[in-house]
């Protein structure tokens, strides 16, 4: 039943995204206006995150940034539906600039394995499609709690010839062991490094000055396999006259300390690199995510999103 509903949802999304790009982006803007006017969950989480990371801003400044974040979030959702339901070759034409591909190719050629740390910045689904077009890889993902949501993600991420080069690995014990083997064999692994792990699977390190529980898995993978670690993201840039969105692909070396044997040193370096990317354009980062739910033991701080459902 889950697979049937996932196919139905995919068909409906495909129908919606046949609309021209300018119409779809206006639809995203209308969705953002509803989120803000009705003070929906995404708007409230964004506002709370801004209160945590930018206490120095005036209320009007935080409100302006919140509006930009919510607008980008809504456009991201519409963009992603389009990317999931159109041929990947068509989608990749939206990438107008490429930076750092030679670094990526050199890391693959070295044969020590490559870990692609892909933060929730810009459009990470477009990045996945570019990676799949460039090299076989495995992507670590946390499956949704809903069986329908999981079936939908597996379907949309495997609905193209390039996507057949992608192995989707669940963030569970057997999947993690699979990643170690792939890297030792010189493979490429994609990880979303800024998702909050379960307590016990991470260490706290500052992220925009606030302690954030951060995954130690990426550092362990890098330390034990000797794999190269790169940051990669597709950043929105000014589009053309045709109303289509446009993106710049960036691949950058991660700090060497992300592979440190000390997990606290490793996650601190990881968060420093992620923060530099997020600061390029804060509206393109996923601030609608509850990044700081878990707090350090004995800190005296409570879950800052307790009242946001």
């Amino acid at each position: 039943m889950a697979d049937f509903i996932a196919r139905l949802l995919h068909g409906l999304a495909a129908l919606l995204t046949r609309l021209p790009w300018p119409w779809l982006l206006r639809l995203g803007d209308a969705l953002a206006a509803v989120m803000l006017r009705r003070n929906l969950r995404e708007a409230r989480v964004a506002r709370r995150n801004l209160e945590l990371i930018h206490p120095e801003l005036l209320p009007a400044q935080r409100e302006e940034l919140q509006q930009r974040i919510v607008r980008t979030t809504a456009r991201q959702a519409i963009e992603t539906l389009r990317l999931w339901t159109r041929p990947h070759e068509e989608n990749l034409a939206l990438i107008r600039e490429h930076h750092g591909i030679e670094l990526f190719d050199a890391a693959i050629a070295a044969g020590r394995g490559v870990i692609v740390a892909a933060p929730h910045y810009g459009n990470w689904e477009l990045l996945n499609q570019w990676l799949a077009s460039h090299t076989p890889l495995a992507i670590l993902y946390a499956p949704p709690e809903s069986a329908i949501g999981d079936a939908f993600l597996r379907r949309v991420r495997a609905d193209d010839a390039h996507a057949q080069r992608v192995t989707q690995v669940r963030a569970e014990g057997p999947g993690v062991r699979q990643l170690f083997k792939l890297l030792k064999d010189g493979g490429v692994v994609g990880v979303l490094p800024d998702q909050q792990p379960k307590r016990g699977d991470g260490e706290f390190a500052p992220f925009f000055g606030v302690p954030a529980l951060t995954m130690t898995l990426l550092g362990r993978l890098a330390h034990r396999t000797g794999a190269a670690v790169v940051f990669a993201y597709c950043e929105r840039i000014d589009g053309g006259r045709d109303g289509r969105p446009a993106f710049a692909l960036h691949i950058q070396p991660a700090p060497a300390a992300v592979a440190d044997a000390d997990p606290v040193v490793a996650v601190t370096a990881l968060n420093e690199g992620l923060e530099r990317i997020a600061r390029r354009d804060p509206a393109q980062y996923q601030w609608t995510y509850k990044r700081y739910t878990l707090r350090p033991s004995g800190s005296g701080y409570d879950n800052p999103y307790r009242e946001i459902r």
Side-chain angles (χ1 to χ4, degrees):
M1 179 59 73
D3 286 338
F4 171 77
I5 296 175
R7 288 197 302 271
L8 178 61
L9 291 174
H10 183 267
L12 292 173
L15 284 175
L16 171 66
T17 54
R18 287 183 179 275
L19 292 171
W21 268 115
W23 292 21
L24 291 173
L25 296 179
R26 284 197 290 270
L27 178 60
D29 293 345
L31 178 60
V34 171
M35 290 179 182
L36 290 164
R37 185 166 56 251
R38 300 190 64 179
N39 199 26
L40 297 184
R41 177 186 178 279
E42 290 79 5
R44 286 181 287 148
V45 171
R47 181 170 59 249
R48 187 67 184 112
N49 278 329
L50 292 176
E51 291 169 350
L52 290 169
I53 68 171
H54 287 306
E56 78 285 358
L57 294 181
L58 296 173
Q61 293 173 311
R62 276 202 297 269
E63 182 179 358
E64 188 273 334
L65 183 51
Q66 177 204 27
Q67 290 173 354
R68 289 172 52 211
I69 290 169
V70 172
R71 181 172 181 264
T72 303
T73 298
R75 284 194 166 198
Q76 158 85 8
I78 299 297
E79 285 172 1
T80 298
L81 286 178
R82 171 89 177 208
L83 296 173
W84 279 341
T85 55
R86 304 295 293 177
H88 289 195
E89 292 292 350
E90 177 183 316
N91 297 336
L92 295 177
L94 299 174
I95 302 178
R96 309 287 177 83
E97 299 177 10
H98 299 79
H99 305 277
I101 296 179
E102 66 285 348
L103 167 70
F104 188 48
D105 288 340
I108 294 173
R112 296 185 294 110
V114 182
I115 300 171
V116 180
H120 288 87
Y121 179 86
N123 195 302
W124 48 94
E125 292 294 340
L126 182 58
L127 173 65
N128 285 344
Q129 293 183 9
W130 182 87
L131 290 170
S133 74
H134 200 73
T135 181
L137 77 156
I139 294 178
L140 183 71
Y141 81 107
E145 295 181 2
S146 163
I148 295 171
D150 191 27
F152 182 77
L153 282 180
R154 285 187 282 105
R155 179 175 182 80
V156 298
R157 288 175 174 167
D159 198 27
D160 188 272
H162 285 160
Q164 302 307 316
R165 293 149 59 89
V166 177
T167 301
Q168 298 189 65
V169 178
R170 296 167 70 96
E172 299 167 349
V176 172
R177 290 191 290 272
Q178 183 180 357
L179 297 185
F180 276 107
K181 183 179 185 306
L182 284 167
L183 289 170
K184 288 181 178 179
D185 291 340
V188 179
V189 168
V191 178
L192 295 169
D194 48 0
Q195 288 184 318
Q196 181 176 250
K198 296 178 182 178
R199 195 180 290 274
D201 291 339
E203 295 284 352
F204 284 95
F207 186 57
F208 282 82
V210 181
L213 188 63
T214 306
M215 67 159 61
T216 54
L217 174 60
L218 189 149
R220 287 189 287 118
L221 288 170
H223 179 71
R224 288 174 54 182
T225 66
V229 183
V230 298
F231 288 121
Y233 51 96
C234 280
E235 183 177 52
R236 290 178 187 83
I237 58 176
D238 291 339
R241 295 180 179 178
D242 58 3
R244 295 170 179 263
F247 297 86
L249 171 74
H250 293 268
I251 298 177
Q252 303 167 345
V258 300
D260 198 277
D262 184 333
V264 175
V265 172
V267 298
T268 299
L270 178 62
N271 277 357
E272 288 173 354
L274 294 172
E275 183 173 329
R276 281 195 294 271
I277 295 170
R279 285 187 181 277
R280 291 174 60 91
D281 181 359
Q284 292 199 44
Y285 190 71
Q286 193 187 27
W287 285 118
T288 55
Y289 176 62
K290 296 180 179 181
R291 184 66 179 88
Y292 304 105
T293 301
L294 299 176
R295 311 297 275 164
S297 299
S299 67
Y301 292 102
D302 199 2
N303 175 1
Y305 315 102
R306 182 175 297 277
E307 298 179 357
I308 302 176
R309 303 299 179 189

